[in-house]
Amino acid sequence: MTIFLLIKHKERFLFFRPQSPEALKISINELGASFIKLAQVLATRADLFDDVYLKELRSLHDEIPPMSSEDFQKVYQSAFPNKEPFKRFEKTPIASASIGEVHEAWLKSGEHVAVKLRRYQIVPQVRADIRILTFFNRIFRPLFSHYTKNSMDALIAEFTDMILKEVSFQQELSNLKSFSATYQKSGIVFPKPYETYCSDDAIVMSFEEGMRFDDREALLENQIDFYATMEKLIVFYTEQMLLNGYFHADPHPGNLLIRKDGTLVLLDFGMVKRISNPSRIAIIEMVKSAHEQDFELYISSCKRLGVIAYEAPQDQMTELAQRMFDIFGDDTLDAISMQELAFSVMASMRDFPFKLPQEAVYILRASAIIEGLGTTYIDNFNGVKDILPILQKNIPRALGADNGILEALADEMGSLPLTLRQVRTSIQKISEDEIRVHLSERQIEWLESRIGNRISAFKSSLILILLAFFLLALDPSLKLYAIVIFAVGAIRLLYK
């Protein structure tokens, strides 16, 4: 597979050129913030790209040089106009990424703070990149299969929503406050925002100290228990993604710190995602069915999640499920081997009626990062196997059963009269021929696809038949050609 990449010069895309995996990575870094973020999302899409490209995309880091002194001054003045809240401000950033950079500072009141400044002109740059991506997706859309079209449309729509929120620091501030409130009893530390000094150009928050999660030497020196730390991280992310459906989607090592006492600190809330309740339950059932090797539940949950289309052949899906079960059930596999096998299975599904919803993409991305952290310290680490016992223990709570058995029975008995009334109403509607069928979003999408294909076939057949009559009217000597074209059109119409 050869990747053709747009070459950008002076903010304009001029032409395509074929890219090797290594050259693609270099080009994406040159293209800037939007394309780095998009590439990080695409790094989970084995249904769209070959593994040689995915390996390079996975190695992309969102680290670029700091702003020039002129740009820094403009952003600083915009963030803190007519006021100087800092007793001391370090102009050399301690972290620099595509959206913003972080500086160490001290407020006049004495608090040690981290100041995150948004890059100069990043918003118009991102909006221009989104317009370009949307434009070229429309141009090449006719070349894609139905499922690839849907996947690309969903990916770009979700990416657009995500990156526009990420470049809004007011949104990040809101995420930080909401996340801190939701998980205040988790035992994880989050920065405290100083809202008086926050704006769309800057976030001022408490300076949290700790060792980077990937700083192996520092963690060994401080005798950090890797197993306990990884268990804490997995439990926390299981709660985020599968119990609450509200999770931090960018847990890379720079955003995860460990204090000397083993406490976890989570930073950077630009990428926080919510999972809809039906999708969350479908994911829970998919993981549960993989653990129990329940084919029917696995395929059903995949369809409800949107990973597998409703018209997918049952025998092919059963074969796929068996391959996935074999991977999850192999105790000899470490995380890297398991990921490689899982990606190869996904790659083999390019011709299947298969797509990966963006909700699942962000979960895969976060899971892959966490699994990568685990393999750094623990031999034969396997995040999926570690997540299963935690999930099994929390399935009742994940599905909404927070109370004990007696309380659950009391709730059911209390709702019994209403249930009986609903049953009576349903029977009455059936007898009066007033029953209605509600289709899921995935089923409606499948119906739209089938109807679209039928309409497209009818239109092309009609064009061929009209063309045959046109040729015959234009020149009777073309009768043979007209008959052939008419026959092709008629056959398409009858047998498509």
Side-chain angles (χ1 to χ4, degrees):
M1 176 181 179
T2 303
I3 295 289
F4 286 83
L5 191 79
L6 290 162
I7 306 304
K8 188 167 81 169
H9 177 63
K10 296 182 180 178
E11 302 306 317
R12 293 180 182 274
F13 285 81
L14 302 178
F15 55 90
F16 291 97
R17 78 173 179 212
Q19 296 275 295
S20 67
E22 297 77 14
L24 176 66
K25 178 181 173 181
I26 294 169
S27 297
I28 288 171
N29 273 316
E30 291 173 353
L31 288 171
S34 306
F35 292 87
I36 292 171
K37 295 287 183 184
L38 179 60
Q40 289 171 343
V41 173
L42 289 172
T44 60
R45 300 305 300 257
D47 56 319
L48 298 176
F49 297 99
D50 290 339
D51 193 51
V52 288
Y53 285 97
L54 292 175
K55 284 180 180 176
E56 290 300 325
L57 293 179
R58 282 177 225 145
S59 67
L60 271 168
H61 296 291
D62 192 13
E63 296 171 359
I64 59 177
M67 289 185 280
S68 66
S69 56
E70 295 82 4
D71 287 350
F72 166 82
Q73 203 58 41
K74 290 173 184 174
V75 173
Y76 188 90
Q77 288 299 324
S78 175
F80 309 108
N82 306 318
K83 59 183 176 183
E84 179 53 68
F86 305 109
K87 177 170 64 178
R88 177 181 161 195
F89 189 100
E90 297 292 339
K91 290 190 176 181
T92 302
I94 55 175
S96 179
S98 56
I99 302 296
E101 56 186 45
V102 181
H103 296 257
E104 191 174 3
W106 285 260
L107 294 172
K108 287 182 177 176
S109 50
E111 291 93 340
H112 189 190
V113 296
V115 182
K116 186 174 179 180
L117 293 176
R118 184 169 65 174
R119 283 188 174 272
Y120 181 65
Q121 293 290 301
I122 189 64
V123 175
Q125 179 189 328
V126 163
R127 290 188 182 278
D129 289 341
I130 288 169
R131 286 195 295 271
I132 290 164
L133 284 169
T134 305
F135 172 72
F136 281 101
N137 181 51
R138 286 175 184 164
I139 287 179
F140 292 109
R141 200 173 186 275
L143 303 177
F144 300 142
S145 69
H146 170 73
Y147 295 101
T148 304
K149 285 177 188 174
N150 285 348
S151 289
M152 291 301 295
D153 290 346
L155 188 151
I156 290 176
E158 178 64 29
F159 171 74
T160 298
D161 179 68
M162 179 271 293
I163 198 166
L164 287 176
K165 286 178 179 175
E166 200 169 354
V167 295
S168 167
F169 279 9
Q170 289 287 12
Q171 179 65 48
E172 183 172 342
L173 174 63
S174 174
N175 290 343
L176 171 56
K177 290 164 59 181
S178 175
F179 206 88
S180 301
T182 302
Y183 297 107
Q184 59 182 329
K185 296 180 181 178
S186 65
I188 310 297
V189 174
F190 313 109
K192 170 194 167 187
Y194 292 86
E195 293 187 57
T196 307
Y197 310 113
C198 294
S199 66
D200 233 11
D201 282 315
I203 299 178
V204 180
M205 53 200 146
S206 58
F207 191 92
E208 302 298 336
E209 298 192 65
M211 299 161 281
R212 275 178 59 113
F213 209 103
D214 59 350
D215 189 347
R216 187 183 181 90
E217 289 185 10
L219 297 182
L220 285 169
E221 187 179 326
N222 286 276
Q223 299 182 329
I224 299 296
D225 186 336
F226 302 135
Y227 287 92
T229 302
M230 281 308 303
E231 182 180 3
K232 191 183 300 182
L233 185 63
I234 290 171
V235 168
F236 183 45
Y237 262 86
T238 303
E239 181 178 1
Q240 289 179 63
M241 294 192 282
L242 300 182
L243 303 186
N244 288 331
Y246 182 51
F247 70 103
H248 185 292
D250 196 21
H252 68 72
N255 291 339
L256 276 169
L257 303 180
I258 305 176
R259 290 180 175 175
K260 290 184 178 181
D261 62 359
T263 302
L264 280 175
V265 181
L266 191 59
L267 309 174
D268 194 342
F269 294 83
M271 198 185 293
V272 173
K273 302 300 298 179
R274 289 192 182 274
I275 308 170
S276 66
N277 204 49
S279 294
R280 183 179 63 85
I281 292 172
I283 292 167
I284 291 168
E285 291 182 348
M286 189 163 65
V287 176
K288 180 175 180 288
S289 62
H291 178 56
E292 298 173 354
Q293 299 215 354
D294 184 333
F295 288 92
E296 293 296 329
L297 181 58
Y298 184 81
I299 293 168
S300 168
S301 57
C302 283
K303 286 183 176 180
R304 281 183 285 113
L305 185 60
V307 173
I308 298 172
Y310 271 85
E311 71 271 31
Q314 187 74 14
D315 56 342
Q316 284 185 327
M317 294 305 103
T318 303
E319 181 185 343
L320 165 69
Q322 183 61 63
R323 290 175 68 186
M324 295 303 290
F325 292 168
D326 289 344
I327 293 171
F328 292 140
D330 190 341
D331 291 325
T332 64
L333 288 177
D334 60 14
I336 294 172
S337 302
M338 184 173 173
Q339 279 185 23
E340 287 176 353
L341 282 170
F343 273 120
S344 72
V345 171
M346 287 175 66
S348 70
M349 294 169 63
R350 288 191 187 121
D351 297 328
F352 284 16
F354 161 87
K355 68 175 187 175
L356 203 56
Q358 281 309 107
E359 288 177 327
V361 167
Y362 285 111
I363 290 174
L364 277 176
R365 181 173 184 269
S367 302
I369 294 171
I370 291 168
E371 202 152 40
L373 293 172
T375 58
T376 305
Y377 302 110
I378 301 171
D379 293 334
N380 207 38
F381 175 79
N382 192 315
V384 173
K385 291 189 179 66
D386 285 331
I387 227 173
L388 286 171
I390 297 167
L391 180 59
Q392 287 291 105
K393 191 163 56 179
N394 287 284
I395 277 176
R397 188 158 68 95
L399 297 176
D402 290 321
N403 300 326
I405 293 174
L406 292 176
E407 289 87 347
L409 285 172
D411 288 343
E412 289 300 319
M413 290 301 293
S415 64
L416 187 59
L418 178 61
T419 304
L420 291 173
R421 188 178 303 165
Q422 288 171 335
V423 170
R424 187 177 68 180
T425 302
S426 298
I427 293 170
Q428 183 179 350
K429 284 185 176 181
I430 291 170
S431 66
E432 294 173 358
D433 201 22
E434 290 184 2
I435 199 74
R436 294 180 181 181
V437 177
H438 292 274
L439 299 177
S440 72
E441 180 185 344
R442 312 299 177 193
Q443 289 169 315
I444 291 170
E445 183 181 291
W446 172 64
L447 284 173
E448 286 176 346
S449 166
R450 294 295 298 272
I451 292 168
N453 287 340
R454 295 290 184 186
I455 291 172
S456 177
F458 177 78
K459 282 163 61 179
S460 61
S461 299
L462 187 60
I463 289 169
L464 287 172
I465 291 169
L466 291 174
L467 177 60
F469 282 112
F470 175 75
L471 286 175
L472 196 59
L474 184 67
D475 188 349
S477 66
L478 298 175
K479 180 179 178 180
L480 182 60
Y481 294 103
I483 290 171
V484 171
I485 293 172
F486 180 88
V488 171
I491 290 169
R492 281 180 58 86
L493 189 60
L494 290 172
Y495 295 101
K496 182 63 177 177

